[in-house]
């Protein structure tokens, strides 16, 4: 429950730049960035309360988290941490087993994907706005065309009435 390490793999040197001995002396808030620390602690408290409630997890239970770790050089690295509980013979949780792998490349790819998706969404919004404007212009043109056709019909009807009521002879000729 004190979140102190009992074993740290030598692979931590490649991942974070610390030796296993150095990490053994670190506290969880020295390992995780503030945001990841908050996420981890919220989950730890929730899961600890669940275990203490008597309901407990199935022995095969595990959870996967994405956490950002602090490296020796001050940089950070995104990791995927798979957590499972270690139980004693009586079935009581006695520790946490955490397996960590570097997902920095995946996080970078996700960031690039998000950037491209956001750009595409911007393009879609821009194109949609242009299509809406074009649609409005077409509606206006259709209305103007209807009005012009109605006016033309009205004029034709007026001329028809005038010609039908006229006593004069009228004709048209084609010189062809």
């Amino acid at each position: 429950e004190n979140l102190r390490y009992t074993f740290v793999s030598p692979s931590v040197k490649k991942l974070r730049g610390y030796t296993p001995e150095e990490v053994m002396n670190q506290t969880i808030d020295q390992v995780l960035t503030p945001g990841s620390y908050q996420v981890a602690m919220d989950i730890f408290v929730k899961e600890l309360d669940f275990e203490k409630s008597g309901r407990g997890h199935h022995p095969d239970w595990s959870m996967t988290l994405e956490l950002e770790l602090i490296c020796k050089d001050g940089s950070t690295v995104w990791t995927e941490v798979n957590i499972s509980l270690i139980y004693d013979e009586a079935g009581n949780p006695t520790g946490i087993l955490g397996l960590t792998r570097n997902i920095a490349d995946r996080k970078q790819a996700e960031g690039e994907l998000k950037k491209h998706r956001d750009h595409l969404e911007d393009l879609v919004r821009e194109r949609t706005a242009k299509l809406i404007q074009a649609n409005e212009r077409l509606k206006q043109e259709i209305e103007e065309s209807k009005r012009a056709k109605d006016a033309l019909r009205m004029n034709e009807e007026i001329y028809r009435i005038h010609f039908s009521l006229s006593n004069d002879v009228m004709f048209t000729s084609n010189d062809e």
Side-chain angles (χ1 to χ4, degrees), residues 15-62:
L15 180 67
R16 297 184 51 226
Y18 290 104
T19 65
E21 295 76 24
E22 289 172 314
V23 175
M24 292 288 288
N25 293 318
Q26 290 181 327
T27 58
I28 192 86
D29 62 319
Q30 294 171 316
V31 172
L32 300 173
T33 62
S36 288
Y37 174 78
Q38 188 62 53
V39 167
M41 293 311 296
D42 289 349
I43 290 171
F44 177 71
V45 168
K46 178 181 153 213
E47 296 303 325
L48 189 61
D49 288 346
F50 183 74
E51 283 294 324
K52 287 181 177 181
S53 72
R55 294 177 285 174
H57 289 292
H58 185 275
D60 294 334
W61 173 87
S62 70

Short mmCIF file of all heavy atoms in Angstrom, two decimals, residues 15-62:
data_model
loop_
_atom_site.label_atom_id
_atom_site.label_comp_id
_atom_site.label_asym_id
_atom_site.label_seq_id
_atom_site.Cartn_x
_atom_site.Cartn_y
_atom_site.Cartn_z
N LEU A 15 14.84 2.81 -20.66
CA LEU A 15 13.59 3.55 -20.74
C LEU A 15 13.70 4.95 -20.14
O LEU A 15 13.28 5.93 -20.76
CB LEU A 15 12.47 2.78 -20.01
CG LEU A 15 11.10 3.44 -20.00
CD1 LEU A 15 10.52 3.50 -21.41
CD2 LEU A 15 10.15 2.67 -19.08
N ARG A 16 14.28 5.07 -18.94
CA ARG A 16 14.27 6.34 -18.23
C ARG A 16 15.65 6.91 -17.92
O ARG A 16 15.77 8.05 -17.47
CB ARG A 16 13.50 6.19 -16.92
CG ARG A 16 12.04 5.84 -17.12
CD ARG A 16 11.26 5.78 -15.80
NE ARG A 16 11.46 6.96 -15.01
CZ ARG A 16 11.72 6.92 -13.69
NH1 ARG A 16 11.79 5.79 -13.03
NH2 ARG A 16 11.90 8.05 -13.03
N GLY A 17 16.71 6.13 -18.12
CA GLY A 17 18.06 6.62 -17.85
C GLY A 17 18.53 6.38 -16.43
O GLY A 17 19.68 6.65 -16.11
N TYR A 18 17.68 5.90 -15.58
CA TYR A 18 18.05 5.59 -14.18
C TYR A 18 18.46 4.13 -14.06
O TYR A 18 17.97 3.27 -14.80
CB TYR A 18 16.84 5.81 -13.25
CG TYR A 18 16.44 7.23 -13.06
CD1 TYR A 18 15.31 7.74 -13.70
CD2 TYR A 18 17.14 8.07 -12.19
CE1 TYR A 18 14.90 9.05 -13.51
CE2 TYR A 18 16.74 9.39 -12.00
CZ TYR A 18 15.63 9.87 -12.65
OH TYR A 18 15.23 11.17 -12.47
N THR A 19 19.31 3.86 -13.10
CA THR A 19 19.63 2.47 -12.77
C THR A 19 18.49 1.92 -11.92
O THR A 19 17.74 2.69 -11.29
CB THR A 19 20.94 2.37 -11.97
OG1 THR A 19 20.74 3.00 -10.70
CG2 THR A 19 22.11 2.99 -12.72
N PRO A 20 18.35 0.61 -11.86
CA PRO A 20 17.32 0.03 -10.99
C PRO A 20 17.48 0.48 -9.53
O PRO A 20 16.48 0.74 -8.85
CB PRO A 20 17.52 -1.48 -11.13
CG PRO A 20 18.14 -1.65 -12.48
CD PRO A 20 19.01 -0.42 -12.66
N GLU A 21 18.72 0.61 -9.09
CA GLU A 21 18.97 1.03 -7.70
C GLU A 21 18.45 2.45 -7.46
O GLU A 21 17.90 2.76 -6.40
CB GLU A 21 20.46 0.94 -7.36
CG GLU A 21 21.04 -0.47 -7.38
CD GLU A 21 21.27 -1.02 -8.79
OE1 GLU A 21 21.43 -0.23 -9.76
OE2 GLU A 21 21.26 -2.26 -8.93
N GLU A 22 18.65 3.33 -8.44
CA GLU A 22 18.17 4.70 -8.29
C GLU A 22 16.63 4.73 -8.23
O GLU A 22 16.05 5.45 -7.42
CB GLU A 22 18.65 5.57 -9.47
CG GLU A 22 20.13 5.87 -9.45
CD GLU A 22 20.60 6.57 -10.71
OE1 GLU A 22 20.22 6.14 -11.83
OE2 GLU A 22 21.36 7.55 -10.57
N VAL A 23 16.00 3.93 -9.07
CA VAL A 23 14.54 3.90 -9.10
C VAL A 23 13.98 3.33 -7.81
O VAL A 23 12.93 3.78 -7.33
CB VAL A 23 14.03 3.13 -10.33
CG1 VAL A 23 12.52 3.00 -10.31
CG2 VAL A 23 14.48 3.81 -11.62
N MET A 24 14.66 2.35 -7.24
CA MET A 24 14.18 1.74 -5.98
C MET A 24 14.02 2.79 -4.88
O MET A 24 13.19 2.63 -3.99
CB MET A 24 15.17 0.65 -5.51
CG MET A 24 15.22 -0.57 -6.38
SD MET A 24 13.77 -1.61 -6.25
CE MET A 24 13.99 -2.31 -4.64
N ASN A 25 14.79 3.87 -4.95
CA ASN A 25 14.71 4.92 -3.94
C ASN A 25 13.74 6.05 -4.31
O ASN A 25 13.60 7.01 -3.56
CB ASN A 25 16.11 5.51 -3.69
CG ASN A 25 17.03 4.49 -3.05
OD1 ASN A 25 16.61 3.76 -2.16
ND2 ASN A 25 18.26 4.42 -3.52
N GLN A 26 13.11 5.95 -5.47
CA GLN A 26 12.19 7.00 -5.90
C GLN A 26 10.77 6.69 -5.40
O GLN A 26 10.37 5.54 -5.29
CB GLN A 26 12.16 7.11 -7.43
CG GLN A 26 13.42 7.68 -8.03
CD GLN A 26 13.34 7.80 -9.54
OE1 GLN A 26 12.71 6.99 -10.21
NE2 GLN A 26 14.00 8.83 -10.07
N THR A 27 10.05 7.77 -5.16
CA THR A 27 8.63 7.63 -4.84
C THR A 27 7.83 7.78 -6.14
O THR A 27 8.35 8.27 -7.15
CB THR A 27 8.18 8.72 -3.83
OG1 THR A 27 8.45 10.00 -4.39
CG2 THR A 27 8.90 8.55 -2.50
N ILE A 28 6.59 7.35 -6.10
CA ILE A 28 5.75 7.36 -7.31
C ILE A 28 5.62 8.76 -7.90
O ILE A 28 5.58 8.92 -9.11
CB ILE A 28 4.37 6.72 -7.03
CG1 ILE A 28 3.62 6.46 -8.31
CG2 ILE A 28 3.55 7.55 -6.11
CD1 ILE A 28 3.93 5.16 -8.95
N ASP A 29 5.61 9.79 -7.06
CA ASP A 29 5.50 11.16 -7.58
C ASP A 29 6.80 11.62 -8.23
O ASP A 29 6.81 12.61 -8.97
CB ASP A 29 5.05 12.14 -6.49
CG ASP A 29 6.02 12.25 -5.35
OD1 ASP A 29 6.56 11.20 -4.92
OD2 ASP A 29 6.26 13.37 -4.87
N GLN A 30 7.90 10.93 -8.00
CA GLN A 30 9.17 11.23 -8.66
C GLN A 30 9.30 10.47 -9.99
O GLN A 30 10.14 10.80 -10.80
CB GLN A 30 10.35 10.87 -7.76
CG GLN A 30 10.44 11.72 -6.51
CD GLN A 30 11.48 11.20 -5.54
OE1 GLN A 30 11.58 10.00 -5.28
NE2 GLN A 30 12.30 12.12 -5.03
N VAL A 31 8.46 9.48 -10.15
CA VAL A 31 8.49 8.64 -11.36
C VAL A 31 7.54 9.18 -12.42
O VAL A 31 7.86 9.20 -13.61
CB VAL A 31 8.12 7.18 -11.01
CG1 VAL A 31 7.95 6.33 -12.26
CG2 VAL A 31 9.15 6.58 -10.06
N LEU A 32 6.36 9.64 -11.99
CA LEU A 32 5.30 10.07 -12.91
C LEU A 32 5.22 11.58 -13.03
O LEU A 32 5.47 12.30 -12.05
CB LEU A 32 3.94 9.54 -12.43
CG LEU A 32 3.80 8.02 -12.32
CD1 LEU A 32 2.47 7.67 -11.66
CD2 LEU A 32 3.91 7.37 -13.68
N THR A 33 4.81 12.05 -14.20
CA THR A 33 4.51 13.48 -14.36
C THR A 33 3.30 13.80 -13.49
O THR A 33 2.54 12.89 -13.12
CB THR A 33 4.19 13.82 -15.83
OG1 THR A 33 3.02 13.09 -16.23
CG2 THR A 33 5.37 13.51 -16.75
N PRO A 34 3.08 15.07 -13.14
CA PRO A 34 1.94 15.40 -12.28
C PRO A 34 0.60 14.89 -12.80
O PRO A 34 -0.22 14.37 -12.02
CB PRO A 34 1.98 16.93 -12.22
CG PRO A 34 3.44 17.26 -12.40
CD PRO A 34 3.94 16.24 -13.40
N GLY A 35 0.35 15.01 -14.09
CA GLY A 35 -0.93 14.54 -14.64
C GLY A 35 -1.08 13.04 -14.51
O GLY A 35 -2.14 12.53 -14.13
N SER A 36 -0.03 12.31 -14.83
CA SER A 36 -0.08 10.85 -14.72
C SER A 36 -0.13 10.42 -13.26
O SER A 36 -0.78 9.43 -12.92
CB SER A 36 1.13 10.22 -15.41
OG SER A 36 0.99 10.32 -16.82
N TYR A 37 0.55 11.15 -12.40
CA TYR A 37 0.51 10.84 -10.97
C TYR A 37 -0.93 10.92 -10.47
O TYR A 37 -1.40 10.03 -9.75
CB TYR A 37 1.41 11.80 -10.19
CG TYR A 37 1.31 11.64 -8.69
CD1 TYR A 37 1.96 10.59 -8.06
CD2 TYR A 37 0.55 12.52 -7.92
CE1 TYR A 37 1.87 10.43 -6.68
CE2 TYR A 37 0.46 12.36 -6.55
CZ TYR A 37 1.12 11.32 -5.93
OH TYR A 37 1.02 11.15 -4.57
N GLN A 38 -1.63 11.97 -10.86
CA GLN A 38 -3.02 12.13 -10.43
C GLN A 38 -3.90 10.98 -10.92
O GLN A 38 -4.69 10.42 -10.18
CB GLN A 38 -3.59 13.48 -10.89
CG GLN A 38 -4.95 13.80 -10.31
CD GLN A 38 -4.91 13.91 -8.80
OE1 GLN A 38 -4.12 14.64 -8.23
NE2 GLN A 38 -5.76 13.14 -8.12
N VAL A 39 -3.73 10.62 -12.19
CA VAL A 39 -4.49 9.50 -12.77
C VAL A 39 -4.21 8.23 -11.99
O VAL A 39 -5.12 7.50 -11.59
CB VAL A 39 -4.15 9.31 -14.27
CG1 VAL A 39 -4.67 7.99 -14.80
CG2 VAL A 39 -4.69 10.47 -15.09
N ALA A 40 -2.92 7.93 -11.78
CA ALA A 40 -2.52 6.71 -11.09
C ALA A 40 -3.05 6.67 -9.66
O ALA A 40 -3.55 5.63 -9.21
CB ALA A 40 -1.00 6.57 -11.11
N MET A 41 -2.95 7.80 -8.96
CA MET A 41 -3.41 7.82 -7.56
C MET A 41 -4.93 7.66 -7.47
O MET A 41 -5.43 6.97 -6.57
CB MET A 41 -2.93 9.09 -6.86
CG MET A 41 -1.42 9.15 -6.68
SD MET A 41 -0.68 7.64 -5.96
CE MET A 41 -1.44 7.61 -4.36
N ASP A 42 -5.65 8.30 -8.37
CA ASP A 42 -7.11 8.15 -8.37
C ASP A 42 -7.49 6.68 -8.56
O ASP A 42 -8.36 6.16 -7.87
CB ASP A 42 -7.75 9.00 -9.47
CG ASP A 42 -7.69 10.50 -9.18
OD1 ASP A 42 -7.36 10.88 -8.04
OD2 ASP A 42 -7.96 11.28 -10.12
N ILE A 43 -6.83 6.03 -9.49
CA ILE A 43 -7.12 4.61 -9.75
C ILE A 43 -6.68 3.75 -8.57
O ILE A 43 -7.39 2.83 -8.15
CB ILE A 43 -6.47 4.16 -11.07
CG1 ILE A 43 -7.20 4.83 -12.24
CG2 ILE A 43 -6.49 2.65 -11.21
CD1 ILE A 43 -6.54 4.66 -13.58
N PHE A 44 -5.51 4.03 -8.02
CA PHE A 44 -5.00 3.26 -6.89
C PHE A 44 -5.98 3.33 -5.72
O PHE A 44 -6.32 2.29 -5.12
CB PHE A 44 -3.62 3.79 -6.47
CG PHE A 44 -3.06 3.09 -5.26
CD1 PHE A 44 -2.61 1.78 -5.35
CD2 PHE A 44 -2.99 3.74 -4.04
CE1 PHE A 44 -2.10 1.13 -4.24
CE2 PHE A 44 -2.48 3.10 -2.93
CZ PHE A 44 -2.03 1.79 -3.01
N VAL A 45 -6.44 4.51 -5.38
CA VAL A 45 -7.38 4.67 -4.26
C VAL A 45 -8.68 3.92 -4.55
O VAL A 45 -9.21 3.21 -3.68
CB VAL A 45 -7.64 6.18 -3.98
CG1 VAL A 45 -8.80 6.38 -3.03
CG2 VAL A 45 -6.38 6.84 -3.44
N LYS A 46 -9.18 4.07 -5.75
CA LYS A 46 -10.43 3.39 -6.12
C LYS A 46 -10.28 1.87 -6.03
O LYS A 46 -11.13 1.18 -5.47
CB LYS A 46 -10.82 3.81 -7.54
CG LYS A 46 -12.07 3.15 -8.07
CD LYS A 46 -12.34 3.61 -9.50
CE LYS A 46 -13.12 2.53 -10.20
NZ LYS A 46 -12.85 2.42 -11.59
N GLU A 47 -9.20 1.35 -6.57
CA GLU A 47 -8.99 -0.10 -6.57
C GLU A 47 -8.70 -0.62 -5.16
O GLU A 47 -9.14 -1.71 -4.80
CB GLU A 47 -7.87 -0.49 -7.54
CG GLU A 47 -8.18 -0.19 -8.98
CD GLU A 47 -9.45 -0.86 -9.48
OE1 GLU A 47 -9.76 -1.99 -9.06
OE2 GLU A 47 -10.15 -0.24 -10.31
N LEU A 48 -7.98 0.14 -4.37
CA LEU A 48 -7.70 -0.26 -2.99
C LEU A 48 -9.00 -0.32 -2.19
O LEU A 48 -9.24 -1.28 -1.43
CB LEU A 48 -6.70 0.70 -2.34
CG LEU A 48 -6.14 0.30 -0.98
CD1 LEU A 48 -5.40 -1.02 -1.08
CD2 LEU A 48 -5.21 1.38 -0.46
N ASP A 49 -9.86 0.68 -2.36
CA ASP A 49 -11.17 0.68 -1.69
C ASP A 49 -12.00 -0.52 -2.14
O ASP A 49 -12.67 -1.16 -1.32
CB ASP A 49 -11.94 1.98 -1.99
CG ASP A 49 -11.37 3.18 -1.27
OD1 ASP A 49 -10.56 2.99 -0.34
OD2 ASP A 49 -11.73 4.32 -1.65
N PHE A 50 -11.94 -0.85 -3.42
CA PHE A 50 -12.68 -1.99 -3.95
C PHE A 50 -12.18 -3.28 -3.30
O PHE A 50 -12.96 -4.13 -2.88
CB PHE A 50 -12.53 -2.05 -5.47
CG PHE A 50 -13.30 -3.15 -6.11
CD1 PHE A 50 -14.68 -3.07 -6.23
CD2 PHE A 50 -12.66 -4.28 -6.59
CE1 PHE A 50 -15.41 -4.10 -6.82
CE2 PHE A 50 -13.38 -5.31 -7.18
CZ PHE A 50 -14.76 -5.22 -7.29
N GLU A 51 -10.86 -3.43 -3.20
CA GLU A 51 -10.30 -4.63 -2.56
C GLU A 51 -10.68 -4.71 -1.09
O GLU A 51 -11.04 -5.77 -0.59
CB GLU A 51 -8.77 -4.64 -2.71
CG GLU A 51 -8.28 -5.05 -4.07
CD GLU A 51 -8.58 -6.49 -4.42
OE1 GLU A 51 -8.55 -7.38 -3.54
OE2 GLU A 51 -8.86 -6.75 -5.60
N LYS A 52 -10.64 -3.58 -0.39
CA LYS A 52 -10.96 -3.56 1.04
C LYS A 52 -12.45 -3.77 1.31
O LYS A 52 -12.84 -4.12 2.40
CB LYS A 52 -10.50 -2.25 1.67
CG LYS A 52 -8.99 -2.16 1.81
CD LYS A 52 -8.58 -0.86 2.46
CE LYS A 52 -7.09 -0.80 2.66
NZ LYS A 52 -6.67 0.45 3.31
N SER A 53 -13.27 -3.54 0.28
CA SER A 53 -14.72 -3.71 0.46
C SER A 53 -15.11 -5.18 0.63
O SER A 53 -16.23 -5.48 0.99
CB SER A 53 -15.47 -3.12 -0.73
OG SER A 53 -15.31 -3.95 -1.88
N GLY A 54 -14.17 -6.06 0.35
CA GLY A 54 -14.46 -7.48 0.47
C GLY A 54 -14.88 -8.12 -0.84
O GLY A 54 -14.92 -9.35 -0.94
N ARG A 55 -15.21 -7.32 -1.81
CA ARG A 55 -15.62 -7.88 -3.11
C ARG A 55 -14.39 -8.38 -3.85
O ARG A 55 -14.39 -9.47 -4.38
CB ARG A 55 -16.37 -6.86 -3.94
CG ARG A 55 -17.71 -6.48 -3.32
CD ARG A 55 -18.41 -5.42 -4.10
NE ARG A 55 -17.72 -4.14 -3.84
CZ ARG A 55 -17.99 -3.02 -4.45
NH1 ARG A 55 -18.90 -2.99 -5.38
NH2 ARG A 55 -17.35 -1.92 -4.16
N GLY A 56 -13.36 -7.59 -3.89
CA GLY A 56 -12.09 -7.97 -4.50
C GLY A 56 -12.15 -8.30 -5.98
O GLY A 56 -13.20 -8.54 -6.53
N HIS A 57 -10.99 -8.30 -6.56
CA HIS A 57 -10.85 -8.63 -7.98
C HIS A 57 -10.62 -10.12 -8.14
O HIS A 57 -10.14 -10.80 -7.24
CB HIS A 57 -9.66 -7.88 -8.59
CG HIS A 57 -9.89 -6.42 -8.74
ND1 HIS A 57 -10.80 -5.89 -9.62
CD2 HIS A 57 -9.33 -5.35 -8.13
CE1 HIS A 57 -10.79 -4.58 -9.54
NE2 HIS A 57 -9.91 -4.22 -8.64
N HIS A 58 -10.89 -10.59 -9.32
CA HIS A 58 -10.55 -11.96 -9.69
C HIS A 58 -9.04 -12.04 -9.75
O HIS A 58 -8.38 -11.07 -10.15
CB HIS A 58 -11.20 -12.25 -11.06
CG HIS A 58 -11.03 -13.66 -11.50
ND1 HIS A 58 -9.90 -14.07 -12.16
CD2 HIS A 58 -11.83 -14.74 -11.37
CE1 HIS A 58 -10.02 -15.36 -12.43
NE2 HIS A 58 -11.18 -15.79 -11.96
N PRO A 59 -8.44 -13.17 -9.41
CA PRO A 59 -6.97 -13.25 -9.42
C PRO A 59 -6.32 -12.94 -10.77
O PRO A 59 -5.16 -12.54 -10.82
CB PRO A 59 -6.69 -14.71 -9.02
CG PRO A 59 -7.90 -15.12 -8.26
CD PRO A 59 -9.06 -14.36 -8.86
N ASP A 60 -7.06 -13.10 -11.86
CA ASP A 60 -6.50 -12.80 -13.18
C ASP A 60 -6.73 -11.35 -13.61
O ASP A 60 -6.41 -10.98 -14.73
CB ASP A 60 -7.14 -13.73 -14.24
CG ASP A 60 -6.75 -15.17 -14.03
OD1 ASP A 60 -5.68 -15.42 -13.45
OD2 ASP A 60 -7.53 -16.06 -14.43
N TRP A 61 -7.26 -10.54 -12.72
CA TRP A 61 -7.57 -9.15 -13.04
C TRP A 61 -6.30 -8.38 -13.39
O TRP A 61 -5.23 -8.58 -12.81
CB TRP A 61 -8.25 -8.48 -11.84
CG TRP A 61 -8.46 -7.01 -12.02
CD1 TRP A 61 -9.52 -6.41 -12.60
CD2 TRP A 61 -7.59 -5.95 -11.60
NE1 TRP A 61 -9.37 -5.05 -12.58
CE2 TRP A 61 -8.19 -4.74 -11.97
CE3 TRP A 61 -6.36 -5.91 -10.95
CZ2 TRP A 61 -7.62 -3.50 -11.72
CZ3 TRP A 61 -5.78 -4.67 -10.70
CH2 TRP A 61 -6.41 -3.49 -11.08
N SER A 62 -6.43 -7.51 -14.36
CA SER A 62 -5.34 -6.58 -14.69
C SER A 62 -5.95 -5.32 -15.27
O SER A 62 -7.13 -5.29 -15.66
CB SER A 62 -4.34 -7.20 -15.67
OG SER A 62 -4.94 -7.35 -16.94
#
